[in-house]
Amino acid sequence: MEDGGKRADRNGEPSRNTGDPQLDAAVQRWFCWDRNPRTRAQMDSLLDAGRLDDARSRLCGRLSFGTAGLRAPMGAGFNRINDLTVIQSTQGLHSYLRRCFPDLCSRGVVVGFDTRGQQESGCSSLRLAKLTAAVMVSRDVPVHLFSGVVPTPYVPFAVKKLGAAAGVMITASHNPKEDNGYKVYWCSGAQVASPQDKEILRCIEEEQEPWSASCWDEEAGQRSPLCTDPLTRVNSCYMDRLSSLCFHRAANGDSPLRVVHSSFHGVGHAFVQQAFQVFGLAPPIPVPEQKDPDPNFSTVRCPNPEEGEPVLELSFRLAEKEDAGIVLATDPDADRLAVAERCDRCSWKVFSGNELAALLGWWMFFNWKQNGADPAEGRSIYMLATAVSSKILQALARAEGFRFEETLPGFKWIGNRIHELSRTGNRVLFSFEESIGFLCGDMVPEKDGVSTAAVVAEMAAYLHRGGLSLAQQLHIIYQTYGYHLSTTSYVICRDPPTIQRIFSRIRNFDGAELYPKTCGGVPVVHVRDVTTGYDSSQPDLRSTLPVTRSSQMVTFHLQNGVVATLRTSGTEPKIKFYTEFCAAPGQSDVVALEEELQKVTAALLDEFLEPQKNKLIGRCV
């Protein structure tokens, strides 16, 4: 019979007898290694209350790399973000870096952090960043530790600028307040991807016990001469580079267009203000309730500006009061950007990530041409998008003669592709993922809400001077290159076996290893399944995108021009679905296109996911 009875082991640490040998061993390791009194008390409380299933879920699994590094709720346990797991992760990262970089002790690593924190576990991003530095310094590795909060893109920018071997950003971006994360960047500035992530995890497994007491000393790094603060230098260099994305500075100062900015209680306020100054734009009006860091994100139920109108209410209210025409919102670590435009005195147009990408892709190409580019250079000019994002850049590329490529979901794949292309003399003008992640140019191989905010403001001011709104310009782009109407949403599923069953059914829908032949009565032309590596459109039936067996992702191309994708999230318990009607130029009956898209989207959800049968929870803000 299970119980939480305590007894002393031979080392004097509390020992538990739960009746489960695997759990008992995990409990013993936790209390032997963890030195944070708050997380020790959390685990004690779980065991004393007999919550053994909760204890198993926390102790009998480990963190793994998703689309954005290691990310999980803060708190006690080996598969949570806490002091111990960050120390373990840093020890493993050090071991892997030592194998790859003989000059690690001269190159060093960059460490940054956001505003997150949790009182119950004491796991603030600042503390976790200091522990990361302490572990590295204990092995004589120099650490460039930012002295204050920074946007996530500052870490990869600093890695490249300082020639560091790697970078670590402590952040969970737009996730709920309970979460935190550990994001790792390689010397290229791009996030680690396979096989680097797997090798780092292997090294973490080999280095689970903290090396020494100094690893727990959060002030050890700052006392060491090996630890330096790169903030002033990196910020100055970043803003200097940012000027390369400004195309109309002489006219920007005369723009009457007013802009409101929300930093969603995160890091973005000061940095977006500086970016506007670089562009010669009037500073954006900050939303006062959301300007300053707040780990509780007290004015929003969900700190994700991608959720649109429900979380932008304070921004709209301020913009209407100040007679501002544009609202910008950066997420808590300022790597993503939401944009809304005032349509009339009482309504707003919130642009989807795909719509904003159409505008930004057009803008970057327009200015590249305006600056005297040689059309022959088009073959070395690229735009990139993830496979679940709009195909509008593909249509733009076909018409204008530059190159377009897709990557797997997650900006780490875009970042690594930017690095590969730059090494072969190519240039990436613009990249994006539909979840409001954008990169104009290639100054940092990561999505960047700070630079994009300034670029959007300049684009809006330019169009305003010509009598156009962002929405009107988007309409012109779609008329020219073809309407690309898209829908993106998700359902929540916290039961992994259910997710496995759903996707197994899809792969055997019409018999063994036979995918669905129709969706909403529309014939499926071909299917791509990157989980298994299958693609019916290829002569050898093999996907050109890398196989990712650790996550689910299936794409259907329908006869009517709709592209539909189902995939699991790499950071949250969600099944995401994406549909897009890719119309040819001349197909301008938008109402008919939208009706067809809605029909297919509803069928995708009902026929393939069966939400009622599988007890899936619909999107709710």
Side-chain angles (χ1 to χ4, degrees), residues 405 413-426:
E405 281 190 11
W413 299 103
I414 288 178
N416 279 284
R417 186 58 181 147
I418 288 172
H419 176 64
E420 292 169 359
L421 289 168
S422 66
R423 292 176 64 188
T424 53
N426 297 290

Side-chain angles (χ1 to χ4, degrees), residues 269-573:
H269 169 67
F271 299 96
V272 171
Q273 292 276 325
Q274 290 179 69
F276 271 55
Q277 186 176 5
V278 169
F279 274 57
L281 292 159
I285 305 163
V287 177
E289 302 94 331
Q290 298 174 336
K291 176 174 69 71
D292 298 322
D294 174 10
N296 290 316
F297 307 112
S298 53
T299 67
V300 286
R301 182 176 173 184
C302 172
N304 184 359
E306 189 185 4
E307 298 289 354
E309 289 188 27
V311 294
L312 294 174
E313 183 181 349
L314 286 175
S315 299
F316 293 161
R317 199 181 303 162
L318 177 64
E320 289 160 7
K321 176 184 174 183
E322 297 286 347
D323 196 27
I326 299 292
V327 160
L328 305 176
T330 46
D331 68 342
D333 68 327
D335 64 346
R336 297 159 129 223
L337 179 75
V339 178
E341 181 178 60
R342 199 170 182 181
C343 302
D344 50 46
R345 294 194 63 83
C346 58
S347 67
W348 289 84
K349 159 70 175 173
V350 180
F351 293 92
S352 70
N354 287 332
E355 290 173 332
L356 194 52
L359 285 161
L360 286 166
W362 162 79
W363 177 248
M364 293 301 294
F365 186 74
F366 168 75
N367 285 289
W368 178 74
K369 287 196 302 182
Q370 288 288 103
N371 286 343
D374 182 352
E377 295 177 11
R379 303 310 294 167
S380 63
I381 294 296
Y382 282 75
M383 291 195 190
L384 308 177
T386 60
V388 295
S389 302
S390 173
K391 316 303 177 193
I392 184 61
L393 298 186
Q394 185 176 53
L396 193 68
R398 285 171 178 165
E400 300 292 352
F402 62 88
R403 293 176 180 262
F404 169 77
E405 281 190 11
E406 283 186 340
T407 71
L408 287 173
F411 223 90
K412 64 183 178 183
W413 299 103
I414 288 178
N416 279 284
R417 186 58 181 147
I418 288 172
H419 176 64
E420 292 169 359
L421 289 168
S422 66
R423 292 176 64 188
T424 53
N426 297 290
R427 180 181 174 193
V428 178
L429 278 186
F430 176 66
S431 310
F432 88 103
E433 58 183 2
E434 53 74 36
S435 53
I436 61 173
F438 312 101
L439 175 63
C440 298
D442 57 3
M443 62 182 279
V444 55
E446 175 64 289
K447 56 184 177 289
D448 185 352
V450 175
S451 61
T452 306
V455 172
V456 168
E458 179 177 66
M459 174 173 58
Y462 175 89
L463 291 170
H464 188 264
R465 287 193 294 271
L468 289 173
S469 65
L470 292 173
Q472 287 169 331
Q473 179 59 36
L474 179 64
H475 183 65
I476 292 170
I477 292 167
Y478 284 154
Q479 284 184 318
T480 305
Y481 302 104
Y483 277 89
H484 284 62
L485 308 177
S486 59
T487 298
T488 301
S489 194
Y490 59 80
V491 290
I492 296 173
C493 182
R494 303 185 188 278
D495 182 46
T498 297
I499 293 175
Q500 190 67 39
R501 188 168 60 250
I502 288 170
F503 281 90
S504 176
R505 174 176 172 269
I506 289 170
R507 295 185 178 103
N508 300 277
F509 201 85
D510 286 320
E513 299 184 7
L514 293 175
Y515 293 81
K517 294 184 175 67
T518 63
C519 180
V522 182
V524 174
V525 178
H526 61 84
V527 178
R528 179 180 64 196
D529 186 343
V530 299
T531 306
T532 64
Y534 172 78
D535 189 338
S536 64
S537 71
Q538 299 298 314
D540 60 359
L541 303 181
R542 304 180 87 172
S543 172
T544 56
L545 292 175
V547 176
T548 56
R549 299 194 187 281
S550 60
S551 61
Q552 304 283 353
M553 178 172 158
V554 184
T555 300
F556 305 91
H557 289 254
L558 277 57
Q559 194 175 70
N560 61 357
V562 172
V563 180
T565 297
L566 296 169
R567 66 176 281 259
T568 49
S569 170
T571 59
E572 298 166 287

